[in-house]
């Protein structure tokens, strides 16, 4: 059943059927008056569709005559061969399809239908655009085409002798000639560089123009109700698929004459695992898939190259921390039996938690030294500078690609309104650009209402995510207390597992499962809501639509992915009170404390698990899911080996790219970019993990796109769209988050304060600065007699070695019992707070100033590109001047000749 039900009565359908409408799909049909377009006389027949049998040329990209190129393919099911009872539905689909195909032919397109070789119920409609139609729509879409060879071609780099081994060989992928281009105009055809009309418009251009017509051709016109567009026909089941053709098999060259075999070249030089070390052939990707796909891979490749430097520095920082883990003074004190072994720590929960020795966290303390050291501070500052350089150099590189790929000023001149936008333009207004009257789908007040509803809905869903995160935190607090009290009794009979099934483990596992379920449910719901809101807002162009949807989805995913890391980094263990007066949530649940090694090690663990697990799962899913779907499809539609399958049917067996296109590919990388920059102070190996993942991601995406998906409809794109400001926002936020992590999550500031202020007289007898005694100085003392009845540990769980002790220690800076201000924060605490705030202010201002200076000094557009743009504009102006001059000359010349004749006659009369 089609998704979009129509208001077509059964009486109308039965009357049409009684009128003699045949189910033969290629016969001439006379529409009833209700189905005729408003511009046709009643009873006019629909154009007849050509039908041809397959000519046994499996690699052919042409009609059966071998001359007319296939620019697009439509696939539908022949309802007359199905044994079903829903004749009315199928009749409606048939009418719409015939009307639609007739509309295409009325617009100059040529159609040819061929039955399937594999399934006799399927028919393939091949679409061809003649030269005149191509010229018309090239002008409509402002497609830029060559006018003159580029006489300012770039000079070869002196490093080519080293880099040539990392680029595809020019013998395999020939370097294309660079041209100056201008928007195509039919009446100036002689000024464009045309060698061969058949090759003038590339297959990607032809497919793009064909899709433009398909999206706007009507399939029903009943009074005020006008319906059009291949997208709705696909959603309604009228057509099963619509796609441009791949030019050959990915693993074998085409045997057809004149085939460029670009898909085969892309597979071997780009998507094949053996080419993992090679740079991407971006010009060929752009030529074959269009600018939108090419700009994604250009950005991904540039990001990966820039990650190399960050990964090297991060690895050096990790090695530095690993080498100092055994020699750091504080980890030695923790592990020392005479120091850490004699420090008894207070319980971390009420009643069911017992005392523990500090040296039990010896290994955790050593691991913390790997990530919490002075090298981390240097690396965090480096990453703040790195991300600025990455964004600035990407702007320069993007400007070069914009010029080379003719997308400079694309948004202003070339992009057409979406069909959904055009269909609802019922209000008139004066255009602020041209001053002419234009149609719009809403008034200024209506637009404001739509945007307000969209913003309100997005905020509601973000608060819903935050509420779910808070709910999971409360669940953790509640079940940790419950597990601590009952789990020990419930597993008495499971002695082998008793050691592993701890309250912490049970709490973490169950909370993770609940959190995963909530994330999956909200992901599915929000994606539909975000699409609905964006449809309701009715953006004018596809770029506006994608940018609006991108912003909504990223805000949601930002909260969804980063909420757990933000909680661990900035909230967990920060407000816990002290053992005699712990802080409770809602008056019931005791707030969580950090791991004995500190919250930084928990944040590091969380990041490594999320980044590693997410990367592995995404790559496996991206490889397996399309491959399994294609395998199942081929298995269900297998034919005898002797049958030859045509190109269009081979492509039909592949998977279509989703409606959101590259959205999830960008989202995956931007979320990774956030992990690399926002929390890098806690995990210096994040850039290295990202680099390894991206090297694999490029080839996986290339392999998937080249071998498992139908050819994507080529689209223009000037840049990476809304992802650019999102990356800039993440880069700005990263400075604040890393400064806050170093200040409030790591122990670096307390160590520095102790080293410079409290390790010498008058606080100690030592005369020179030292870290000796740091651990003892940072642990406060608590008298166990001050425990409340609620939090006092049970007698039967107190270890034997604690029986004669009267005090325990806890992580905080408070006065000891017996002091006039017992359990209040001491002077060390206020020194540390002041140092943390000063550190954040100083570091942020220094880094932001450096970022500003770099952004100002690095121009967004290279000087050479500016010169080439000026040169191209000059040539275009000269071209326009010459054409206008010729037009004026052609019009004035007859008048001048006539005037000259009159003057000659007058001279003769005067002489006589």
């Amino acid at each position: 059943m089609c998704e979009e039900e129509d208001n077509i009565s059964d009486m109308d359908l039965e009357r049409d059927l009684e009128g003699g409408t045949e189910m033969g799909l290629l016969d001439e049909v006379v529409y009833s008056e209700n189905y005729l377009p408003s511009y046709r006389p009643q009873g006019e027949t629909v154009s007849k569709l050509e039908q041809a049998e397959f000519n046994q040329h499996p690699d052919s990209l042409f009609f059966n005559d071998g001359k007319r190129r296939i620019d697009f393919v439509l696939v539908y099911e022949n309802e007359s061969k199905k044994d079903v009872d829903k004749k009315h539905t199928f009749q409606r689909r048939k009418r719409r399809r015939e009307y639609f195909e007739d509309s295409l032919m009325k617009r100059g397109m040529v159609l040819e239908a061929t039955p399937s070789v594999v399934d006799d119920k399927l028919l393939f409609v091949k679409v061809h655009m003649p030269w005149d139609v191509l010229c018309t729509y090239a002008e409509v879409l402002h497609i830029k085409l060559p006018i003159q060879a580029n006489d300012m071609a770039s000079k070869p780099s002196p490093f080519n002798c080293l880099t040539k081994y990392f680029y595809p060989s020019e013998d395999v992928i020939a370097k294309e000639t660079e041209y100056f281009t201008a928007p195509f105009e039919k009446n100036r055809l002689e000024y464009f560089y045309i060698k061969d009309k058949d090759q003038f418009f590339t297959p990607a251009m032809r497919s793009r123009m064909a899709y433009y017509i398909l999206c706007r051709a009507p399939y029903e016109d009943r009074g005020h109700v006008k319906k059009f567009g291949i997208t709705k026909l696909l959603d309604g089941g009228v057509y099963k698929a619509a796609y441009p053709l791949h030019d050959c098999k990915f693993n074998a060259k085409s045997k057809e004459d004149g085939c460029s075999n670009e898909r085969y070249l892309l597979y071997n030089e780009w998507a094949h695992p053996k080419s993992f070390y090679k740079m991407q052939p971006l010009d060929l990707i752009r030529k074959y898939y269009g600018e939108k796909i090419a700009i994604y891979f250009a950005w991904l490749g540039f990001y990966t190259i820039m990650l190399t430097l960050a990964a090297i520095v991060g690895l050096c920082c990790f090695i530095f921390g690993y080498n100092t883990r055994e020699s750091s003074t504080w980890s030695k004190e923790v592990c020392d039996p005479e120091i850490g072994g004699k420090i008894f720590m207070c319980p971390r929960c009420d009643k069911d938690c017992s005392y523990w020795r500090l040296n039990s966290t010896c290994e955790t303390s050593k691991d913390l030294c790997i990530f919490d050291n002075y090298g981390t501070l240097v690396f965090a500052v480096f990453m703040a500078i790195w991300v600025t350089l990455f964004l600035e150099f990407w702007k320069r590189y993007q400007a070069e690609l914009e010029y080379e790929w003719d997308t400079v000023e694309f948004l202003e001149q070339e992009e057409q309104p979406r069909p959904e936008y055009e269909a609802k333009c019922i209000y008139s207004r004066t255009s602020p650009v041209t001053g002419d009257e234009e149609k719009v789908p809403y008034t200024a007040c209506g637009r404001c209402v739509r945007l307000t509803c969209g913003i309100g809905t997005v905020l509601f869903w973000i608060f819903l995510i935050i509420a779910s995160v808070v709910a999971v935190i409360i669940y953790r607090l509640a079940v940790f207390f419950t597990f601590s009290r009952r789990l020990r009794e419930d597993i008495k009979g499971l002695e082998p597992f008793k050691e592993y099934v701890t309250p912490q483990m049970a709490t973490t596992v169950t909370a993770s499962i609940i959190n995963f379920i909530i994330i999956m449910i909200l992901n599915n719901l929000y994606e539909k809501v975000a699409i609905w809101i964006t449809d309701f807002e009715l953006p004018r162009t596809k770029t506006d639509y994608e940018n609006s949807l991108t912003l909504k989805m990223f805000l949601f995913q930002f909260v969804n992915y980063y909420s757990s890391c933000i909680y661990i980094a900035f909230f967990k263990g920060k407000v816990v009170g002290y053992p005699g007066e712990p802080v409770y949530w809602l008056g019931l649940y005791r707030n969580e404390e950090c791991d004995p090694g500190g919250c930084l090690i928990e944040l590091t663990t969380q990041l490594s698990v999320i980044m590693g697990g997410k990367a592995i799962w995404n790559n496996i899913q991206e490889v397996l899911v399309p491959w399994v779907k294609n395998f199942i499809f081929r298995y269900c539609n297998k034919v005898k080996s002797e049958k030859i399958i045509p190109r269009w049917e081979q492509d039909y067996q592949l998977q279509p790219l989703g409606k959101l296109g590259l959205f999830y590919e960008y989202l995956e990388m931007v979320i990774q970019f956030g992990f690399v920059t926002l929390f890098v102070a806690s995990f210096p190996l994040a850039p290295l993990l990202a680099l390894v993942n991206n090297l694999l991601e490029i080839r996986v995406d290339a392999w998937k796109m080249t071998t498992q998906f139908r050819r994507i409809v080529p689209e223009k794109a000037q840049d990476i769209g809304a992802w650019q400001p999102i990356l800039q926002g993440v880069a700005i936020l990263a400075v604040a988050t890393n400064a806050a992590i170093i200040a409030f999550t790591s122990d670096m500031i307390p160590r520095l304060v102790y080293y410079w202020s409290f390790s010498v007289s008058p606080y100690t007898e030592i005369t020179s600065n030292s870290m000796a005694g740091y651990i003892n100085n940072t642990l406060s003392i608590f008298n166990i007699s001050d425990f409340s009845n609620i939090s006092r540990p049970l007698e039967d769980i107190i270890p034997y070695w604690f029986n004669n002790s009267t005090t325990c220690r806890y992580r905080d800076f408070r006065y000891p019992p017996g002091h006039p201000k017992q359990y209040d924060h001491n002077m060390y605490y206020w020194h540390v707070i002041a140092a943390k705030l000063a550190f954040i202010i100083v570091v942020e201002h220094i880094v932001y100033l450096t970022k500003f200076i770099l952004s100002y000094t690095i121009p967004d557009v290279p000087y050479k590109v500016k010169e080439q743009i000026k040169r191209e504009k000059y040539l275009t102006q000269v071209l326009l001047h010459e054409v206008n001059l010729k037009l004026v000359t052609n019009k004035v010349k007859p008048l001048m000749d006539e005037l000259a004749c009159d003057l000659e006659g007058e001279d003769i009369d005067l002489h006589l």
Side-chain angles (χ1 to χ4, degrees), residues 511-523:
S512 299
I513 293 173
I514 292 172
N515 195 32
F516 175 76
I517 293 172
I518 291 174
I519 287 173
M520 295 304 295
I521 292 174
L522 292 179
N523 262 341

Side-chain angles (χ1 to χ4, degrees), residues 561-570 603 606-607 610 675 679:
Y561 278 102
Y562 299 140
S563 57
S564 60
C565 294
I566 292 173
Y567 167 69
I568 293 173
F570 306 120
L603 179 58
Q606 180 87 349
L607 284 171
I610 291 177
F675 283 123
F679 308 101

Side-chain angles (χ1 to χ4, degrees), residues 393-549:
F393 284 129
W394 164 247
K395 289 179 186 177
R396 290 173 59 85
Y397 184 49
Q398 184 173 256
E400 294 177 13
L401 295 178
E402 285 179 13
Y403 173 73
E404 292 177 7
W405 295 349
D406 296 324
T407 58
V408 181
E409 305 176 354
F410 157 66
L411 297 180
E412 300 174 347
Q413 295 184 4
E414 295 186 27
E415 192 165 21
Q416 302 296 320
R418 296 166 57 238
E420 295 83 358
Y421 178 92
E422 293 178 323
K424 296 184 180 181
C425 289
I426 57 175
Y427 301 100
S428 297
R429 73 162 188 176
T430 302
S431 172
V433 179
T434 63
D436 300 330
E437 187 177 283
E438 66 176 1
K439 293 289 185 179
V440 292
Y442 37 61
T443 61
C445 181
R447 177 177 174 79
C448 182
V449 170
R450 289 171 184 265
L451 291 177
T452 303
C453 291
I455 293 171
T457 307
V458 170
L459 291 176
F460 168 77
W461 277 87
I462 289 176
F463 287 132
L464 185 62
I465 290 293
I466 296 173
S468 70
V469 172
V470 173
V472 172
I473 293 172
I474 295 175
Y475 167 83
R476 290 169 62 96
L477 301 177
V479 299
F480 180 75
F481 175 75
T482 304
F483 285 150
S484 298
R485 183 175 54 189
R486 301 190 56 181
L487 193 62
R488 190 176 290 102
E489 299 177 0
D490 295 342
I491 63 172
K492 280 183 178 179
L494 301 174
E495 288 298 328
F497 303 100
K498 187 175 180 180
E499 181 182 352
Y500 303 101
V501 185
T502 62
Q504 292 89 343
M505 185 271 289
T507 302
T508 301
V509 171
T510 55
S512 299
I513 293 173
I514 292 172
N515 195 32
F516 175 76
I517 293 172
I518 291 174
I519 287 173
M520 295 304 295
I521 292 174
L522 292 179
N523 262 341
N524 291 330
L525 289 176
Y526 185 77
E527 181 179 320
K528 294 179 175 60
V529 171
I531 293 174
W532 178 82
I533 296 171
T534 310
D535 289 339
F536 177 72
E537 290 176 357
L538 205 63
R540 181 177 181 273
T541 64
K542 188 172 182 181
T543 298
D544 294 337
Y545 181 90
E546 291 178 350
N547 290 347
S548 177
L549 181 62

